Structures are given as C-alpha cells and as structure tokens.
PDB file of all heavy atoms in Angstrom:
ATOM      1  N   ASP A   1       0.812  -1.245   0.042  1.00  0.00           N
ATOM      2  CA  ASP A   1      -0.042   0.020  -0.056  1.00  0.00           C
ATOM      3  C   ASP A   1       0.817   1.237  -0.014  1.00  0.00           C
ATOM      4  O   ASP A   1       0.335   2.441   0.151  1.00  0.00           O
ATOM      5  CB  ASP A   1      -0.925   0.001   1.214  1.00  0.00           C
ATOM      6  CG  ASP A   1      -1.996  -1.136   1.191  1.00  0.00           C
ATOM      7  OD1 ASP A   1      -2.359  -1.487   0.044  1.00  0.00           O
ATOM      8  OD2 ASP A   1      -2.402  -1.602   2.262  1.00  0.00           O
ATOM      9  N   THR A   2       2.147   1.125  -0.252  1.00  0.00           N
ATOM     10  CA  THR A   2       2.981   2.346  -0.107  1.00  0.00           C
ATOM     11  C   THR A   2       3.176   3.016  -1.404  1.00  0.00           C
ATOM     12  O   THR A   2       3.782   4.121  -1.457  1.00  0.00           O
ATOM     13  CB  THR A   2       4.360   1.881   0.390  1.00  0.00           C
ATOM     14  OG1 THR A   2       5.036   1.085  -0.604  1.00  0.00           O
ATOM     15  CG2 THR A   2       4.348   1.161   1.745  1.00  0.00           C
ATOM     16  N   MET A   3       2.619   2.502  -2.549  1.00  0.00           N
ATOM     17  CA  MET A   3       2.721   3.075  -3.866  1.00  0.00           C
ATOM     18  C   MET A   3       1.345   3.166  -4.462  1.00  0.00           C
ATOM     19  O   MET A   3       0.570   2.242  -4.392  1.00  0.00           O
ATOM     20  CB  MET A   3       3.621   2.367  -4.746  1.00  0.00           C
ATOM     21  CG  MET A   3       5.118   2.419  -4.368  1.00  0.00           C
ATOM     22  SD  MET A   3       5.899   4.034  -4.793  1.00  0.00           S
ATOM     23  CE  MET A   3       5.902   3.965  -6.583  1.00  0.00           C
ATOM     24  N   GLY A   4       1.020   4.406  -5.068  1.00  0.00           N
ATOM     25  CA  GLY A   4      -0.144   4.551  -5.831  1.00  0.00           C
ATOM     26  C   GLY A   4       0.030   4.118  -7.295  1.00  0.00           C
ATOM     27  O   GLY A   4       1.178   3.816  -7.739  1.00  0.00           O
ATOM     28  N   TRP A   5      -1.060   4.107  -8.029  1.00  0.00           N
ATOM     29  CA  TRP A   5      -0.965   3.744  -9.400  1.00  0.00           C
ATOM     30  C   TRP A   5      -2.059   4.507 -10.201  1.00  0.00           C
ATOM     31  O   TRP A   5      -3.196   4.593  -9.746  1.00  0.00           O
ATOM     32  CB  TRP A   5      -1.178   2.207  -9.589  1.00  0.00           C
ATOM     33  CG  TRP A   5      -1.057   1.674 -11.042  1.00  0.00           C
ATOM     34  CD1 TRP A   5       0.094   1.244 -11.668  1.00  0.00           C
ATOM     35  CD2 TRP A   5      -2.102   1.532 -11.993  1.00  0.00           C
ATOM     36  NE1 TRP A   5      -0.200   0.820 -12.928  1.00  0.00           N
ATOM     37  CE2 TRP A   5      -1.505   1.006 -13.141  1.00  0.00           C
ATOM     38  CE3 TRP A   5      -3.487   1.851 -11.977  1.00  0.00           C
ATOM     39  CZ2 TRP A   5      -2.193   0.704 -14.371  1.00  0.00           C
ATOM     40  CZ3 TRP A   5      -4.223   1.603 -13.126  1.00  0.00           C
ATOM     41  CH2 TRP A   5      -3.611   0.989 -14.255  1.00  0.00           C
ATOM     42  N   VAL A   6      -1.672   4.954 -11.369  1.00  0.00           N
ATOM     43  CA  VAL A   6      -2.733   5.741 -12.218  1.00  0.00           C
ATOM     44  C   VAL A   6      -2.528   5.093 -13.619  1.00  0.00           C
ATOM     45  O   VAL A   6      -1.413   4.782 -14.072  1.00  0.00           O
ATOM     46  CB  VAL A   6      -2.550   7.208 -12.287  1.00  0.00           C
ATOM     47  CG1 VAL A   6      -2.790   7.838 -10.882  1.00  0.00           C
ATOM     48  CG2 VAL A   6      -1.183   7.654 -12.797  1.00  0.00           C
ATOM     49  N   PRO A   7      -3.614   4.881 -14.289  1.00  0.00           N
ATOM     50  CA  PRO A   7      -3.570   4.323 -15.671  1.00  0.00           C
ATOM     51  C   PRO A   7      -2.930   5.332 -16.586  1.00  0.00           C
ATOM     52  O   PRO A   7      -2.777   6.526 -16.387  1.00  0.00           O
ATOM     53  CB  PRO A   7      -4.962   4.064 -15.988  1.00  0.00           C
ATOM     54  CG  PRO A   7      -5.752   5.052 -15.172  1.00  0.00           C
ATOM     55  CD  PRO A   7      -5.010   5.153 -13.938  1.00  0.00           C
ATOM     56  N   TRP A   8      -2.524   4.823 -17.887  1.00  0.00           N
ATOM     57  CA  TRP A   8      -1.869   5.600 -18.858  1.00  0.00           C
ATOM     58  C   TRP A   8      -2.778   6.843 -19.182  1.00  0.00           C
ATOM     59  O   TRP A   8      -3.991   6.727 -19.345  1.00  0.00           O
ATOM     60  CB  TRP A   8      -1.590   4.885 -20.114  1.00  0.00           C
ATOM     61  CG  TRP A   8      -1.465   5.749 -21.340  1.00  0.00           C
ATOM     62  CD1 TRP A   8      -2.448   6.011 -22.292  1.00  0.00           C
ATOM     63  CD2 TRP A   8      -0.418   6.665 -21.641  1.00  0.00           C
ATOM     64  NE1 TRP A   8      -2.049   6.918 -23.236  1.00  0.00           N
ATOM     65  CE2 TRP A   8      -0.783   7.341 -22.841  1.00  0.00           C
ATOM     66  CE3 TRP A   8       0.822   6.866 -21.121  1.00  0.00           C
ATOM     67  CZ2 TRP A   8       0.097   8.270 -23.485  1.00  0.00           C
ATOM     68  CZ3 TRP A   8       1.653   7.766 -21.787  1.00  0.00           C
ATOM     69  CH2 TRP A   8       1.328   8.485 -22.843  1.00  0.00           C
ATOM     70  N   GLN A   9      -2.146   7.976 -19.221  1.00  0.00           N
ATOM     71  CA  GLN A   9      -2.828   9.214 -19.742  1.00  0.00           C
ATOM     72  C   GLN A   9      -1.666  10.086 -20.340  1.00  0.00           C
ATOM     73  O   GLN A   9      -0.581  10.194 -19.760  1.00  0.00           O
ATOM     74  CB  GLN A   9      -3.586   9.894 -18.728  1.00  0.00           C
ATOM     75  CG  GLN A   9      -4.403  11.056 -19.195  1.00  0.00           C
ATOM     76  CD  GLN A   9      -5.436  11.525 -18.239  1.00  0.00           C
ATOM     77  OE1 GLN A   9      -6.215  10.746 -17.757  1.00  0.00           O
ATOM     78  NE2 GLN A   9      -5.522  12.799 -18.026  1.00  0.00           N
ATOM     79  N   ARG A  10      -2.012  10.756 -21.393  1.00  0.00           N
ATOM     80  CA  ARG A  10      -1.061  11.690 -22.054  1.00  0.00           C
ATOM     81  C   ARG A  10      -0.626  12.763 -20.944  1.00  0.00           C
ATOM     82  O   ARG A  10      -1.495  13.221 -20.254  1.00  0.00           O
ATOM     83  CB  ARG A  10      -1.667  12.366 -23.209  1.00  0.00           C
ATOM     84  CG  ARG A  10      -0.633  13.130 -24.074  1.00  0.00           C
ATOM     85  CD  ARG A  10      -1.172  13.605 -25.361  1.00  0.00           C
ATOM     86  NE  ARG A  10      -2.203  14.683 -25.116  1.00  0.00           N
ATOM     87  CZ  ARG A  10      -2.729  15.377 -26.107  1.00  0.00           C
ATOM     88  NH1 ARG A  10      -2.406  15.123 -27.394  1.00  0.00           N
ATOM     89  NH2 ARG A  10      -3.616  16.299 -25.861  1.00  0.00           N
ATOM     90  N   PRO A  11       0.675  13.088 -20.867  1.00  0.00           N
ATOM     91  CA  PRO A  11       1.065  14.179 -19.919  1.00  0.00           C
ATOM     92  C   PRO A  11       0.297  15.494 -20.151  1.00  0.00           C
ATOM     93  O   PRO A  11      -0.002  15.824 -21.299  1.00  0.00           O
ATOM     94  CB  PRO A  11       2.519  14.390 -20.222  1.00  0.00           C
ATOM     95  CG  PRO A  11       3.021  13.020 -20.764  1.00  0.00           C
ATOM     96  CD  PRO A  11       1.781  12.548 -21.642  1.00  0.00           C
ATOM     97  N   GLY A  12      -0.079  16.211 -19.051  1.00  0.00           N
ATOM     98  CA  GLY A  12      -0.756  17.399 -19.176  1.00  0.00           C
ATOM     99  C   GLY A  12      -1.421  17.748 -17.847  1.00  0.00           C
ATOM    100  O   GLY A  12      -1.256  17.116 -16.827  1.00  0.00           O
ATOM    101  N   PHE A  13      -2.290  18.703 -17.923  1.00  0.00           N
ATOM    102  CA  PHE A  13      -2.899  19.206 -16.678  1.00  0.00           C
ATOM    103  C   PHE A  13      -3.822  18.095 -16.042  1.00  0.00           C
ATOM    104  O   PHE A  13      -3.791  17.949 -14.796  1.00  0.00           O
ATOM    105  CB  PHE A  13      -3.794  20.359 -16.921  1.00  0.00           C
ATOM    106  CG  PHE A  13      -4.020  21.315 -15.777  1.00  0.00           C
ATOM    107  CD1 PHE A  13      -3.043  22.239 -15.418  1.00  0.00           C
ATOM    108  CD2 PHE A  13      -5.171  21.123 -14.974  1.00  0.00           C
ATOM    109  CE1 PHE A  13      -3.247  23.032 -14.238  1.00  0.00           C
ATOM    110  CE2 PHE A  13      -5.317  21.946 -13.783  1.00  0.00           C
ATOM    111  CZ  PHE A  13      -4.392  22.856 -13.411  1.00  0.00           C
ATOM    112  N   ASP A  14      -4.575  17.348 -16.795  1.00  0.00           N
ATOM    113  CA  ASP A  14      -5.434  16.413 -16.280  1.00  0.00           C
ATOM    114  C   ASP A  14      -4.699  15.251 -15.567  1.00  0.00           C
ATOM    115  O   ASP A  14      -5.123  14.709 -14.545  1.00  0.00           O
ATOM    116  CB  ASP A  14      -6.335  15.815 -17.350  1.00  0.00           C
ATOM    117  CG  ASP A  14      -7.519  14.999 -16.714  1.00  0.00           C
ATOM    118  OD1 ASP A  14      -8.416  15.622 -16.217  1.00  0.00           O
ATOM    119  OD2 ASP A  14      -7.426  13.734 -16.803  1.00  0.00           O
ATOM    120  N   LEU A  15      -3.532  14.928 -16.137  1.00  0.00           N
ATOM    121  CA  LEU A  15      -2.675  13.924 -15.444  1.00  0.00           C
ATOM    122  C   LEU A  15      -2.243  14.381 -14.088  1.00  0.00           C
ATOM    123  O   LEU A  15      -2.162  13.699 -13.046  1.00  0.00           O
ATOM    124  CB  LEU A  15      -1.525  13.505 -16.327  1.00  0.00           C
ATOM    125  CG  LEU A  15      -0.574  12.454 -15.715  1.00  0.00           C
ATOM    126  CD1 LEU A  15      -1.388  11.168 -15.424  1.00  0.00           C
ATOM    127  CD2 LEU A  15       0.563  12.133 -16.687  1.00  0.00           C
ATOM    128  N   GLY A  16      -1.977  15.707 -13.958  1.00  0.00           N
ATOM    129  CA  GLY A  16      -1.691  16.325 -12.715  1.00  0.00           C
ATOM    130  C   GLY A  16      -2.835  16.145 -11.675  1.00  0.00           C
ATOM    131  O   GLY A  16      -2.625  15.828 -10.537  1.00  0.00           O
ATOM    132  N   LEU A  17      -4.056  16.370 -12.161  1.00  0.00           N
ATOM    133  CA  LEU A  17      -5.203  16.193 -11.408  1.00  0.00           C
ATOM    134  C   LEU A  17      -5.408  14.669 -10.893  1.00  0.00           C
ATOM    135  O   LEU A  17      -5.776  14.424  -9.831  1.00  0.00           O
ATOM    136  CB  LEU A  17      -6.428  16.623 -12.093  1.00  0.00           C
ATOM    137  CG  LEU A  17      -6.627  18.129 -12.430  1.00  0.00           C
ATOM    138  CD1 LEU A  17      -7.731  18.414 -13.318  1.00  0.00           C
ATOM    139  CD2 LEU A  17      -6.687  18.934 -11.154  1.00  0.00           C
ATOM    140  N   GLN A  18      -5.064  13.774 -11.863  1.00  0.00           N
ATOM    141  CA  GLN A  18      -5.084  12.375 -11.447  1.00  0.00           C
ATOM    142  C   GLN A  18      -4.084  12.001 -10.342  1.00  0.00           C
ATOM    143  O   GLN A  18      -4.361  11.199  -9.498  1.00  0.00           O
ATOM    144  CB  GLN A  18      -4.839  11.448 -12.786  1.00  0.00           C
ATOM    145  CG  GLN A  18      -5.880  11.618 -13.824  1.00  0.00           C
ATOM    146  CD  GLN A  18      -7.303  11.350 -13.339  1.00  0.00           C
ATOM    147  OE1 GLN A  18      -7.524  10.422 -12.650  1.00  0.00           O
ATOM    148  NE2 GLN A  18      -8.224  12.194 -13.843  1.00  0.00           N
ATOM    149  N   LEU A  19      -2.894  12.595 -10.472  1.00  0.00           N
ATOM    150  CA  LEU A  19      -1.882  12.427  -9.468  1.00  0.00           C
ATOM    151  C   LEU A  19      -2.383  12.931  -8.100  1.00  0.00           C
ATOM    152  O   LEU A  19      -2.236  12.303  -7.002  1.00  0.00           O
ATOM    153  CB  LEU A  19      -0.550  13.030  -9.766  1.00  0.00           C
ATOM    154  CG  LEU A  19       0.139  12.451 -11.031  1.00  0.00           C
ATOM    155  CD1 LEU A  19       1.472  13.246 -11.256  1.00  0.00           C
ATOM    156  CD2 LEU A  19       0.483  10.903 -10.879  1.00  0.00           C
ATOM    157  N   GLU A  20      -2.887  14.081  -8.155  1.00  0.00           N
ATOM    158  CA  GLU A  20      -3.452  14.681  -6.987  1.00  0.00           C
ATOM    159  C   GLU A  20      -4.548  13.831  -6.298  1.00  0.00           C
ATOM    160  O   GLU A  20      -4.565  13.691  -5.084  1.00  0.00           O
ATOM    161  CB  GLU A  20      -4.043  16.063  -7.264  1.00  0.00           C
ATOM    162  CG  GLU A  20      -4.519  16.913  -6.036  1.00  0.00           C
ATOM    163  CD  GLU A  20      -5.154  18.220  -6.483  1.00  0.00           C
ATOM    164  OE1 GLU A  20      -5.994  18.265  -7.314  1.00  0.00           O
ATOM    165  OE2 GLU A  20      -4.738  19.267  -5.855  1.00  0.00           O
ATOM    166  N   LYS A  21      -5.442  13.330  -7.105  1.00  0.00           N
ATOM    167  CA  LYS A  21      -6.553  12.415  -6.662  1.00  0.00           C
ATOM    168  C   LYS A  21      -5.955  11.190  -6.101  1.00  0.00           C
ATOM    169  O   LYS A  21      -6.385  10.697  -5.065  1.00  0.00           O
ATOM    170  CB  LYS A  21      -7.527  12.181  -7.737  1.00  0.00           C
ATOM    171  CG  LYS A  21      -8.651  11.269  -7.304  1.00  0.00           C
ATOM    172  CD  LYS A  21      -9.639  11.028  -8.484  1.00  0.00           C
ATOM    173  CE  LYS A  21     -10.895  10.281  -8.053  1.00  0.00           C
ATOM    174  NZ  LYS A  21     -10.472   8.911  -7.459  1.00  0.00           N
ATOM    175  N   CYS A  22      -4.920  10.549  -6.735  1.00  0.00           N
ATOM    176  CA  CYS A  22      -4.300   9.372  -6.270  1.00  0.00           C
ATOM    177  C   CYS A  22      -3.763   9.578  -4.863  1.00  0.00           C
ATOM    178  O   CYS A  22      -3.895   8.694  -3.971  1.00  0.00           O
ATOM    179  CB  CYS A  22      -3.271   8.906  -7.239  1.00  0.00           C
ATOM    180  SG  CYS A  22      -2.450   7.340  -6.800  1.00  0.00           S
ATOM    181  N   LEU A  23      -3.164  10.698  -4.651  1.00  0.00           N
ATOM    182  CA  LEU A  23      -2.517  10.914  -3.349  1.00  0.00           C
ATOM    183  C   LEU A  23      -3.595  11.117  -2.320  1.00  0.00           C
ATOM    184  O   LEU A  23      -3.513  10.644  -1.167  1.00  0.00           O
ATOM    185  CB  LEU A  23      -1.649  12.219  -3.484  1.00  0.00           C
ATOM    186  CG  LEU A  23      -0.999  12.713  -2.144  1.00  0.00           C
ATOM    187  CD1 LEU A  23      -0.043  11.558  -1.631  1.00  0.00           C
ATOM    188  CD2 LEU A  23      -0.298  13.940  -2.309  1.00  0.00           C
ATOM    189  N   ASN A  24      -4.661  11.878  -2.678  1.00  0.00           N
ATOM    190  CA  ASN A  24      -5.735  12.075  -1.675  1.00  0.00           C
ATOM    191  C   ASN A  24      -6.485  10.805  -1.251  1.00  0.00           C
ATOM    192  O   ASN A  24      -6.896  10.656  -0.156  1.00  0.00           O
ATOM    193  CB  ASN A  24      -6.804  13.107  -2.282  1.00  0.00           C
ATOM    194  CG  ASN A  24      -6.209  14.405  -2.417  1.00  0.00           C
ATOM    195  OD1 ASN A  24      -5.363  14.826  -1.747  1.00  0.00           O
ATOM    196  ND2 ASN A  24      -6.740  15.334  -3.322  1.00  0.00           N
ATOM    197  N   ASP A  25      -6.535   9.907  -2.318  1.00  0.00           N
ATOM    198  CA  ASP A  25      -7.154   8.632  -2.055  1.00  0.00           C
ATOM    199  C   ASP A  25      -6.266   7.627  -1.292  1.00  0.00           C
ATOM    200  O   ASP A  25      -6.747   6.644  -0.662  1.00  0.00           O
ATOM    201  CB  ASP A  25      -7.577   7.955  -3.316  1.00  0.00           C
ATOM    202  CG  ASP A  25      -8.756   8.733  -4.076  1.00  0.00           C
ATOM    203  OD1 ASP A  25      -9.359   9.544  -3.345  1.00  0.00           O
ATOM    204  OD2 ASP A  25      -8.974   8.443  -5.269  1.00  0.00           O
ATOM    205  N   ASN A  26      -4.975   7.917  -1.321  1.00  0.00           N
ATOM    206  CA  ASN A  26      -4.014   6.981  -0.691  1.00  0.00           C
ATOM    207  C   ASN A  26      -2.992   7.846   0.163  1.00  0.00           C
ATOM    208  O   ASN A  26      -1.742   7.815  -0.215  1.00  0.00           O
ATOM    209  CB  ASN A  26      -3.297   6.159  -1.740  1.00  0.00           C
ATOM    210  CG  ASN A  26      -4.234   5.402  -2.641  1.00  0.00           C
ATOM    211  OD1 ASN A  26      -4.701   4.275  -2.268  1.00  0.00           O
ATOM    212  ND2 ASN A  26      -4.542   5.966  -3.730  1.00  0.00           N
ATOM    213  N   PRO A  27      -3.452   8.438   1.196  1.00  0.00           N
ATOM    214  CA  PRO A  27      -2.473   9.369   1.876  1.00  0.00           C
ATOM    215  C   PRO A  27      -1.375   8.485   2.537  1.00  0.00           C
ATOM    216  O   PRO A  27      -1.591   7.367   2.950  1.00  0.00           O
ATOM    217  CB  PRO A  27      -3.416   9.898   3.038  1.00  0.00           C
ATOM    218  CG  PRO A  27      -4.604   9.032   3.113  1.00  0.00           C
ATOM    219  CD  PRO A  27      -4.751   8.498   1.781  1.00  0.00           C
ATOM    220  N   GLY A  28      -0.140   9.072   2.562  1.00  0.00           N
ATOM    221  CA  GLY A  28       0.890   8.333   3.158  1.00  0.00           C
ATOM    222  C   GLY A  28       1.745   7.528   2.140  1.00  0.00           C
ATOM    223  O   GLY A  28       2.788   7.035   2.522  1.00  0.00           O
ATOM    224  N   ILE A  29       1.324   7.416   0.859  1.00  0.00           N
ATOM    225  CA  ILE A  29       2.181   6.686  -0.163  1.00  0.00           C
ATOM    226  C   ILE A  29       3.544   7.433  -0.373  1.00  0.00           C
ATOM    227  O   ILE A  29       3.537   8.645  -0.215  1.00  0.00           O
ATOM    228  CB  ILE A  29       1.353   6.517  -1.444  1.00  0.00           C
ATOM    229  CG1 ILE A  29       0.913   7.808  -2.001  1.00  0.00           C
ATOM    230  CG2 ILE A  29       0.196   5.512  -1.222  1.00  0.00           C
ATOM    231  CD1 ILE A  29       0.229   7.770  -3.358  1.00  0.00           C
ATOM    232  N   ARG A  30       4.460   6.690  -0.851  1.00  0.00           N
ATOM    233  CA  ARG A  30       5.739   7.235  -1.075  1.00  0.00           C
ATOM    234  C   ARG A  30       5.991   7.607  -2.602  1.00  0.00           C
ATOM    235  O   ARG A  30       7.045   8.201  -2.932  1.00  0.00           O
ATOM    236  CB  ARG A  30       6.830   6.310  -0.656  1.00  0.00           C
ATOM    237  CG  ARG A  30       6.912   4.963  -1.457  1.00  0.00           C
ATOM    238  CD  ARG A  30       7.801   3.877  -0.913  1.00  0.00           C
ATOM    239  NE  ARG A  30       9.155   4.390  -0.749  1.00  0.00           N
ATOM    240  CZ  ARG A  30      10.186   3.569  -0.278  1.00  0.00           C
ATOM    241  NH1 ARG A  30       9.897   2.364   0.166  1.00  0.00           N
ATOM    242  NH2 ARG A  30      11.357   4.063  -0.179  1.00  0.00           N
ATOM    243  N   GLY A  31       5.077   7.221  -3.448  1.00  0.00           N
ATOM    244  CA  GLY A  31       5.228   7.540  -4.777  1.00  0.00           C
ATOM    245  C   GLY A  31       4.081   6.959  -5.693  1.00  0.00           C
ATOM    246  O   GLY A  31       3.102   6.432  -5.044  1.00  0.00           O
ATOM    247  N   ILE A  32       4.077   7.164  -6.927  1.00  0.00           N
ATOM    248  CA  ILE A  32       3.090   6.732  -7.866  1.00  0.00           C
ATOM    249  C   ILE A  32       3.644   6.182  -9.081  1.00  0.00           C
ATOM    250  O   ILE A  32       4.507   6.856  -9.743  1.00  0.00           O
ATOM    251  CB  ILE A  32       2.031   7.935  -8.263  1.00  0.00           C
ATOM    252  CG1 ILE A  32       1.442   8.487  -6.997  1.00  0.00           C
ATOM    253  CG2 ILE A  32       1.019   7.544  -9.213  1.00  0.00           C
ATOM    254  CD1 ILE A  32       0.584   9.755  -7.241  1.00  0.00           C
ATOM    255  N   VAL A  33       3.106   5.014  -9.515  1.00  0.00           N
ATOM    256  CA  VAL A  33       3.479   4.452 -10.823  1.00  0.00           C
ATOM    257  C   VAL A  33       2.534   4.970 -11.852  1.00  0.00           C
ATOM    258  O   VAL A  33       1.352   4.844 -11.662  1.00  0.00           O
ATOM    259  CB  VAL A  33       3.494   2.895 -10.734  1.00  0.00           C
ATOM    260  CG1 VAL A  33       3.767   2.332 -12.120  1.00  0.00           C
ATOM    261  CG2 VAL A  33       4.518   2.434  -9.825  1.00  0.00           C
TER     262      VAL A  33
END
C-alpha cells in the first residue's frame, strides 16, 4: 500500500489532477507508478 498507481494518460494538466486524486485517495504513499 506504499505506492499509488494511475492508468496511462497523456502528460498534461489532467494527469496532474489524477496524481493529486491518487494521493488524496491514498495518503501516506511514497510514490506513484
């Protein structure tokens, strides 16, 4: 549970939002794949 994961998406603003959501859904993770 120490790493988050987000599906493929082209780099851009929405991917930043997906990273933000992944962190909010998984507080305390050390990184995201």
Side-chain angles (χ1 to χ4, degrees):
D1 294 329
T2 67
M3 288 288 287
W5 184 90
V6 298
W8 158 258
Q9 187 165 309
R10 190 174 70 171
F13 203 86
D14 194 72
L15 183 56
L17 293 174
Q18 297 303 318
L19 295 180
E20 183 183 51
K21 181 179 185 302
C22 181
L23 178 63
N24 291 338
D25 292 345
N26 302 276
I29 55 176
R30 66 189 300 181
I32 300 173
V33 175

